[in-house]
Amino acid sequence: MSNSPAGANSVTLARRGGTALQRIASCVLVGLCTLGSLGHGQAPTVADYRLRVTQLSHIWEAARAAEGSVRGLTGPLDTIQLGSLAVVAVAARRAVVAAAVQGAWDRLDSALGSDTDLLAGKTFYTRLAATHVAISDSGVNRVFMDAPGVEQLRWNLLRSVMGALLQELDEDTRAWFGGVLPIEGVLEPPGRSAYIELVLARSPGASECLRGDLALCRAVLGFADGGIRPDSAFAVSATVRHHFARVALEQGRERAYARLLRSADVSLEQRLAAAAGLSADSLLEVWHATLIQAQPELTLVTRPIVVSGFAWVLVFLLLSSRSSRWRLG
Amino acid sequence: MFKVILHTQWKWSRLLIAASLVAAFALPILTVQGFGIADPTVWEARSILRAAESRSVWYAVLAAGIGLLLATSVWSADHRGDHVYALSLPVARWRFVVLRFAAGGLLLLVPVVAFWAGALLASAALSLPYGLHAYPTALALRFALATVVAYAVFFAISSGTTRAAGVVLAIVGGLVVVQVLLHGADVDIDFLQDLFGRAVSWPGPFGVFAGRWALIGV
């Protein structure tokens, strides 16, 4: 999250644009010097000159294209406000950003409900294009243009918002969440990933947790009496912890995020239990049951697949025997 | 009569069967290349799982390919001889079709068993990370089912006349053209995707080809 005013952002963008333009100018200068250096040492042939001129014209074309993109970033800024979500964008890109903001807001509104007021006073900034010209001895290698679409922007925006909300919490909690709060479509692993993670984890606690030892589940999730284990002591990655938090938030429904973020005086385990509206032990039980339900089934050969497969074989065999080829007349 | 039909079909398609045998035996071994990481981390184990799932598409492709080639070879001699041989036999059409189908189906056992052997060998040669298991027999059964379904589909198409095949192709092509026209006219109807989805999901005819059917799982 950034709290700098729009004007400051404009200055930043202008500086970025200026830096890129300077880089391009330097590249052209280097190219001209290279052309000039042909006069020293071994006498260049006409073919050498032609080659260099071709290379320089490619550099020039790439530089012109890059200049256009950089100038596009330095235009006036515009603020798009939807509910309590405020996003600043380059005015020329307003349409794309507005579509992404709408998508992000719809998702936030449905996930956070009235807790969207947690976003009040926070402003998000978007940067829609970055241009980089890579130059080697043989001339321009590539021109990279990063112009994300609406869906990618929406995803990044959601991630930024959930990361900004997490900034309200202490450092240990932020580490526990892996830097971002879970929300559907943003680092929200399905239960299957969490289950696989626990199966593959070499920690004996992980396998015992899967078998139903909730005390070990608590340890695997990184909860310790009165707080969180240090980051290095996590037995599994944030995938499993995100799944746990997601289950808690789903159980809690309305104002679950607010209860999670605003009850800072208790441990994270208690805070998640408060978000879920359950006791800590009950939440562990619910999470474990959800995890077991998400167990990936071995779907190679199941009765429905076998039955439908042979049924279709019979259908096609019947169709084969009804061919008109042998009919007379 | 079955023995005669089986013998002739073997003669017509033995090269094809031999090629299928080699491909079916080699594929499971090829798809586990690079999985033998000593003492992998959780992330490496996960990437092995993902790679095993993504490579499994080749099993479906091979099953469909074997079914297609064998089904067309089963009828090719009849088409060339204008079905005079079959008409000269004192059997009903349906019985002849069943005999042809059964003979081809029996020949399918060769690549299926080769696939099973390849999967068993690949599994035995792998030292899998903790938590991962290989399922060679279940995979071979799925492969067998997919091969038989593909064989039945193309057997039905091949048994018909060129006109019938043309009608099938025209219907499919017509559907694609209509969908493209709808898309061009900004009409938000995607019936082709819906049809495809129904065909490749249970209980559609190609449901057996879809889904995860990897050699390695949790």
Side-chain angles (χ1 to χ4, degrees):
Chain A
M1 187 193 72
S2 170
N3 286 321
S4 60
N9 198 43
S10 176
V11 170
T12 312
L13 287 172
R15 276 185 190 150
R16 265 191 212 119
T19 311
L21 283 172
Q22 282 165 6
R23 200 181 302 144
I24 293 158
S26 308
C27 294
V28 173
L29 199 62
V30 167
L32 289 172
C33 290
T34 311
L35 189 63
S37 70
L38 286 173
H40 301 286
Q42 196 177 2
T45 62
V46 174
D48 289 334
Y49 279 120
R50 280 186 180 149
L51 180 66
R52 284 296 181 188
V53 167
T54 309
Q55 287 171 348
L56 281 172
S57 45
H58 285 158
I59 292 172
W60 176 247
E61 283 166 18
R64 288 285 301 270
E67 183 193 9
S69 299
V70 171
R71 286 197 190 285
L73 282 175
T74 56
L77 300 177
D78 210 347
T79 302
I80 299 154
Q81 181 93 36
L82 262 181
S84 49
L85 178 63
V87 179
V88 174
V90 177
R93 306 276 188 160
R94 184 189 165 88
V96 180
V97 178
V101 171
Q102 181 67 58
W105 175 252
D106 290 346
R107 187 67 210 101
L108 288 167
D109 194 30
S110 102
L112 299 178
S114 55
D115 295 344
T116 47
D117 61 1
L118 293 166
L119 299 172
K122 294 177 169 56
T123 306
F124 299 88
Y125 293 86
T126 56
R127 185 168 67 88
L128 261 186
T131 307
H132 173 64
V133 184
I135 298 176
S136 75
D137 289 343
S138 58
V140 176
N141 276 343
R142 283 178 193 169
V143 177
F144 298 101
M145 293 285 293
D146 176 24
V150 171
E151 188 50 33
Q152 193 183 343
L153 262 177
R154 185 188 80 97
W155 195 92
N156 285 337
L157 199 52
L158 278 171
R159 191 180 154 80
S160 299
V161 169
M162 301 318 282
L165 287 179
L166 193 62
Q167 293 302 313
E168 308 285 330
L169 303 177
D170 59 275
E171 195 178 333
D172 285 348
T173 307
R174 291 203 298 269
W176 191 90
F177 276 105
V180 67
L181 280 175
I183 186 172
E184 189 183 316
V186 181
L187 286 187
E188 187 238 348
R192 180 175 177 268
S193 295
Y195 184 93
I196 291 173
E197 175 94 20
L198 282 173
V199 167
L200 296 179
R202 283 174 171 262
S203 153
S207 51
E208 292 304 313
C209 168
L210 275 178
R211 291 194 189 98
D213 188 331
L214 295 184
L216 282 174
C217 284
R218 195 167 166 269
V220 163
L221 286 165
F223 298 133
D225 288 334
I228 305 171
R229 288 160 172 252
D231 187 25
S232 58
F234 290 148
V236 288
S237 77
T239 303
V240 179
R241 300 195 295 277
H242 262 256
H243 182 244
F244 183 82
R246 184 70 200 158
V247 170
L249 291 164
E250 276 174 2
Q251 290 290 315
R253 294 168 188 270
E254 185 66 15
R255 301 209 63 83
Y257 280 92
R259 288 197 294 278
L260 173 67
L261 295 168
R262 287 175 176 161
S263 51
D265 50 340
V266 292
S267 69
L268 178 61
E269 188 180 13
Q270 294 298 328
R271 205 182 294 176
L272 284 162
L278 298 168
S279 70
D281 289 343
S282 302
L283 177 57
L284 264 177
E285 282 174 21
V286 170
W287 171 70
H288 185 266
T290 311
L291 194 67
I292 296 302
Q293 276 179 358
Q295 177 178 1
E297 291 174 21
L298 183 62
T299 55
L300 283 169
V301 185
T302 58
R303 185 174 297 189
I305 287 174
V306 174
V307 169
S308 73
F310 279 111
W312 280 110
V313 168
L314 283 177
V315 167
F316 288 115
L317 187 57
L318 192 69
L319 286 173
S320 311
S321 65
R322 302 288 299 165
S323 169
S324 60
R325 181 174 285 282
W326 284 13
R327 283 181 203 151
L328 297 174
Chain B
M1 179 178 280
F2 178 71
K3 274 175 75 174
V4 175
I5 289 179
L6 180 63
H7 180 69
T8 51
Q9 280 187 200
W10 165 250
K11 278 177 67 178
W12 298 336
S13 54
R14 60 189 168 193
L15 279 178
L16 178 66
I17 296 288
S20 305
L21 184 149
V22 173
F25 181 77
L27 188 64
I29 298 167
L30 290 174
T31 52
V32 298
Q33 293 304 303
F35 287 178
I37 303 169
D39 197 21
T41 61
V42 171
W43 293 109
E44 283 168 337
R46 287 193 69 120
S47 72
I48 286 174
L49 198 59
R50 272 198 298 272
E53 285 178 3
S54 65
R55 289 179 194 181
S56 69
V57 68
W58 292 108
Y59 305 142
V61 169
L62 183 67
I66 289 175
L68 165 70
L69 293 174
L70 196 68
T72 47
S73 77
V74 158
W75 286 106
S76 60
D78 284 309
H79 289 324
R80 277 200 302 273
D82 280 337
H83 294 251
V84 171
Y85 167 71
L87 283 166
S88 69
L89 294 172
V91 291
R93 156 83 181 178
W94 70 267
R95 188 151 177 253
F96 182 73
V97 168
V98 169
L99 289 172
R100 272 255 182 275
F101 186 87
L106 203 60
L107 292 177
L108 276 180
L109 275 176
V110 177
V112 165
V113 170
F115 184 87
W116 187 28
L120 283 171
L121 188 67
S123 309
L126 270 180
S127 69
L128 286 171
Y130 175 83
L132 292 187
H133 304 279
Y135 302 97
T137 303
L139 180 66
L141 285 171
R142 178 77 175 249
F143 181 80
L145 188 60
T147 311
V148 171
V149 170
Y151 171 70
V153 171
F154 294 115
F155 183 89
I157 294 172
S158 304
S159 68
T161 57
T162 312
R163 185 164 159 258
V167 168
V168 171
L169 268 178
I171 290 172
V172 173
L175 289 173
V176 172
V177 168
V178 170
Q179 182 63 69
V180 169
L181 289 175
L182 284 174
H183 184 70
D186 260 354
V187 178
D188 192 20
I189 298 173
D190 196 349
F191 67 88
L192 212 57
Q193 194 175 1
D194 188 45
L195 274 177
F196 181 77
R198 283 171 193 272
V200 297
S201 59
W202 189 87
F206 305 110
V208 67
F209 292 96
R212 294 178 297 111
W213 43 313
L215 177 60
I216 296 164
V218 290

